[in-house]
Amino acid sequence: MTAEDSADAADEPLVELDAVYDAIDAVGRPHLTATELSRKTDLSPEQAREALEALADDGEIQRQDVSGVESVWYPTDVAEVTDRERVILFPDRREVVVEHPDQFTRAQLSQFARLQDSNRSGGYVYELREADIWAAPHETLEDLLSTMRDVLGERSTHLEEWVTSQWERARKFRLYTHEDGYVVLEAESDDLMGNVARPKLDEDLLRAPISDSESWVDADATAEIKRTLYEAGYPVRDDRELATGEPLEMELRLRLRDYQADWVERFTEQGSGVFVGPPGSGKTVAAMGAMAAVGGETLILVPSRELATQWRDELVRHTTLTDEDIGEYHGGEKEIRPVTIATYRTAGMDRHRKLFDQRKWGLVVFDEVHHVPAPIYRRSANLQTKHRLGLTATPTRESDDEEEIFTLVGPPIGTDWGKLFDEGYVAEPEVEIRLVPWGSDDERTEYAATSGHDRRQAAAGNTGKIDEIRYTLAEHPAAKALVFVEYLDDGKAISEAIDAPFISGETRHAERERLFDAFRRGEQDTLVVSRVGDEGIDLPDAELAVVASGLGGSRRQGAQRAGRTMRPAGDARMVVLATRGTTEEDFVRRQMRHLASKGIQVTEQEAHAVEPSTD
């Protein structure tokens, strides 16, 4: 062979485009990975990857990258004529990669998988974990598998066998009330009781064996029993007869929406649970429906005094309860009544705790229940003999211990966010990340010279954001707007720059309420708010949320701030600012991850107020 012939052979592609089409037809999707091409041809995985890269260089195919997952390739013309949404299952890793998913697809995936990563090109990575299957909001295994097959578009025997095993694992142990009134832990088999429960639970928890598969347990220690077995990989079903407490006569003054009535019905059947729904979906009203259904004296736990006052007002407005029926127990007031609203902090203190333990509550409501796993709030969840109801839009916690919520309070009960958007109960927000250039070279230099918390604070305080805030407010001149900040100095600077009041933890309670009331009445159209506005405070008419800075990458905080705009009427917009080229970019993408998993479209672009520099 001549040198010229060798050169010609080297220029020949390892695989023709037609072979890629044949491989795509064989896998049954309009895309494939290098590994799949290798399996359908005589090429090694490395040769297949080189061949695909060569075709991409020639413009014949396109590549989709998602962090941590093998790249996906598809012909250019196929991308133009087929549905942009593509779902790729990796059953061995229990991962699902979705390109450009629509809202319904993401809502379905959130029922059995957790969003782990996303990129700027519209790719999302979901992971199926044991806890996701244990807490899946389905009544039967077949319902769960049906949802999975619908969204994945294919069946994987390997994955479905694993899902089935986890579904069954979550039903190996249960607590029930014996006819003589004591509490029994029952295992599915003698082996599970002998080799799992009894070695894990000490004598203080297991009083005495009843049979080889049943044990009499300490009724006051059921929270510890649940925690211990959960950590061993066995969630415990709670089928006990829960206390109803002293009777409470109350009726609702309004009619529940259909989905709220369904939540209440499912809660009364189970005796415990967590209402999970977007802000504005009426979880508080549904909780009042649960109170009426239980008909027993109720303890409501909240994270702040503001929420306690808000709960009291809502109960008087929407039920037949009067002020005399309702007590507040916190740093400002200490009254226990048939319905008592207490802060988590106060209720967890030893000197107050006996008062709450001695009362025969029929129901305990944990508002903003995502606080429960935190050490200071966790003790309140030991009230295990009562009906237990949690409320949250965001059970996600950055410590990844949200399973503690469902273990100690109850299983999730909720409606797909997309369904509420479609039916007009809640406005779907338009969420946009904007990357803001530095306001000055000095700020950029200061950022480069710092590290850790100081670096995060430097990025948060980028003065270039002030121009972008002004621009955004001018884009929506009629919108009632909230500007969120993380640091007090930034809040004061922005407040002065846009001539709007700044509300923080330093703001006196009376002044804070005056400003919030003015905002509700439309007398004040813009507020700058620190972390005190992240949860619980009722600002129903906010139409625009501008996040100037946030708490690291907290997904919960991102969803709560978006929730300030998610009301039935009007538009709902959220603009999240991040200093371009800094760690803040990654933080805001993490913050938006929970919203994306619920089907909300999150877009990203450069800031509008300032042209990005070319350096």
Side-chain angles (χ1 to χ4, degrees), residues 311-580:
W311 259 98
R312 185 183 195 120
D313 293 344
E314 291 293 295
L315 285 166
V316 171
R317 182 181 300 119
H318 296 308
T319 75
T320 54
L321 295 172
T322 66
D323 276 321
E324 288 69 34
D325 298 317
I326 306 168
E328 294 185 41
Y329 203 100
H330 46 66
E333 299 181 35
K334 289 184 174 61
E335 290 183 324
I336 292 185
R337 300 273 179 85
V339 174
T340 299
I341 311 163
T343 58
Y344 285 103
R345 185 181 296 272
T346 303
M349 293 180 179
D350 289 336
R351 64 179 182 272
H352 303 301
R353 184 171 174 75
K354 289 183 180 179
L355 293 172
F356 295 106
D357 289 348
Q358 290 169 358
R359 191 89 179 193
K360 293 183 178 180
W361 308 109
L363 171 65
V364 181
V365 178
F366 301 86
D367 198 5
E368 305 290 355
V369 72
H370 45 267
H371 289 289
V372 163
I376 196 167
Y377 301 122
R378 190 174 180 179
R379 295 182 61 188
S380 62
N382 289 332
L383 296 164
Q384 289 288 301
T385 61
K386 322 296 183 183
H387 291 81
R388 303 174 307 282
L389 174 62
L391 309 178
T392 186
T394 51
T396 297
R397 288 175 56 84
E398 299 316 304
S399 51
D400 287 332
D401 56 1
E402 60 265 21
E403 63 268 12
E404 184 102 335
I405 298 168
F406 303 132
T407 300
L408 298 180
V409 180
I413 299 170
T415 302
D416 290 347
W417 288 33
K419 183 176 180 181
L420 299 185
F421 295 150
D422 291 342
E423 294 180 359
Y425 289 120
V426 180
E428 179 184 358
E430 297 176 11
V431 181
E432 181 182 313
I433 297 171
R434 293 186 187 173
L435 304 180
V436 184
W438 286 104
S440 70
D441 290 338
D442 288 343
E443 290 177 321
R444 188 203 313 265
T445 302
E446 179 185 351
Y447 173 84
T450 59
S451 61
H453 176 78
D454 291 340
R455 174 167 280 206
R456 291 194 295 273
Q457 188 166 358
N462 173 15
T463 57
K465 293 180 180 179
I466 292 178
D467 286 337
E468 192 64 25
I469 292 169
R470 289 196 185 102
Y471 183 96
T472 304
L473 295 176
E475 282 184 303
H476 312 287
K480 293 172 66 176
L482 298 173
V483 180
F484 289 99
V485 297
E486 187 65 21
Y487 299 102
L488 295 180
D489 289 346
D490 298 339
K492 293 172 184 176
I494 292 170
S495 170
E496 182 177 347
I498 66 174
D499 192 23
F502 176 42
I503 298 175
S504 71
E506 296 180 349
T507 308
R508 288 172 40 207
H509 184 74
E511 175 65 6
R512 188 186 304 182
E513 283 304 306
R514 185 189 71 79
L515 289 170
F516 283 145
D517 285 341
F519 187 83
R520 295 185 187 104
R521 293 193 300 268
E523 299 168 3
Q524 178 68 47
D525 58 8
T526 303
L527 293 176
V528 181
V529 187
S530 73
R531 207 186 302 174
V532 298
D534 283 351
E535 64 184 18
I537 297 171
D538 183 19
L539 299 172
D541 297 321
E543 298 156 311
L544 172 65
V546 181
V547 180
S549 57
L551 179 62
S554 171
R555 292 160 289 178
R556 174 174 55 80
Q557 187 188 61
Q560 287 167 331
R561 290 179 169 183
R564 296 298 167 216
T565 69
M566 291 163 63
R567 305 294 167 174
D571 295 327
R573 297 183 180 87
M574 180 176 183
V575 175
V576 186
L577 306 182
T579 300
R580 184 162 50 82

Side-chain angles (χ1 to χ4, degrees), residues 154-357:
E154 62 179 293
R155 297 179 63 168
S156 165
T157 301
H158 173 73
L159 181 62
E160 292 192 2
E161 286 177 352
W162 177 83
V163 169
T164 300
S165 70
Q166 294 306 320
W167 178 273
E168 293 173 349
R169 191 179 184 91
R171 286 149 182 82
K172 300 292 188 184
F173 287 96
R174 76 179 184 111
L175 291 166
Y176 73 91
T177 304
H178 192 273
E179 60 183 12
D180 292 331
Y182 55 85
V183 178
V184 176
L185 175 67
E186 179 186 49
E188 185 184 65
S189 67
D190 301 349
D191 183 62
L192 281 169
M193 179 59 73
N195 294 323
V196 178
R198 288 181 178 142
K200 295 286 185 183
L201 304 170
D202 60 33
E203 295 177 356
D204 293 336
L205 302 179
L206 295 183
R207 292 285 178 82
I210 298 174
S211 69
D212 288 341
S213 63
E214 295 175 301
S215 291
W216 169 29
V217 301
D218 181 358
D220 294 330
T222 51
E224 186 60 30
I225 291 170
K226 289 179 178 181
R227 284 191 188 109
T228 301
L229 289 178
Y230 191 98
E231 289 168 359
Y234 292 93
V236 178
R237 286 187 298 136
D238 193 343
D239 293 336
R240 291 172 299 153
E241 296 175 10
L242 300 174
T244 56
E246 295 295 331
L248 175 69
E249 296 293 331
M250 68 165 281
E251 295 179 7
L252 281 176
R253 297 183 187 275
L254 45 73
R255 180 179 177 276
L256 294 176
R257 298 168 180 169
D258 289 344
Y259 68 86
Q260 291 170 325
D262 177 63
W263 291 358
V264 172
E265 182 179 353
R266 289 165 61 187
F267 171 77
T268 53
E269 288 175 357
Q270 297 172 184
S272 63
V274 178
F275 290 167
V276 180
S281 59
K283 295 182 292 295
T284 301
V285 170
M288 295 177 194
M291 290 171 63
V294 172
E297 293 192 352
T298 300
L299 172 64
I300 302 169
L301 297 171
V302 298
S304 68
R305 289 172 56 181
E306 286 83 5
L307 256 180
T309 301
Q310 188 173 303
W311 259 98
R312 185 183 195 120
D313 293 344
E314 291 293 295
L315 285 166
V316 171
R317 182 181 300 119
H318 296 308
T319 75
T320 54
L321 295 172
T322 66
D323 276 321
E324 288 69 34
D325 298 317
I326 306 168
E328 294 185 41
Y329 203 100
H330 46 66
E333 299 181 35
K334 289 184 174 61
E335 290 183 324
I336 292 185
R337 300 273 179 85
V339 174
T340 299
I341 311 163
T343 58
Y344 285 103
R345 185 181 296 272
T346 303
M349 293 180 179
D350 289 336
R351 64 179 182 272
H352 303 301
R353 184 171 174 75
K354 289 183 180 179
L355 293 172
F356 295 106
D357 289 348

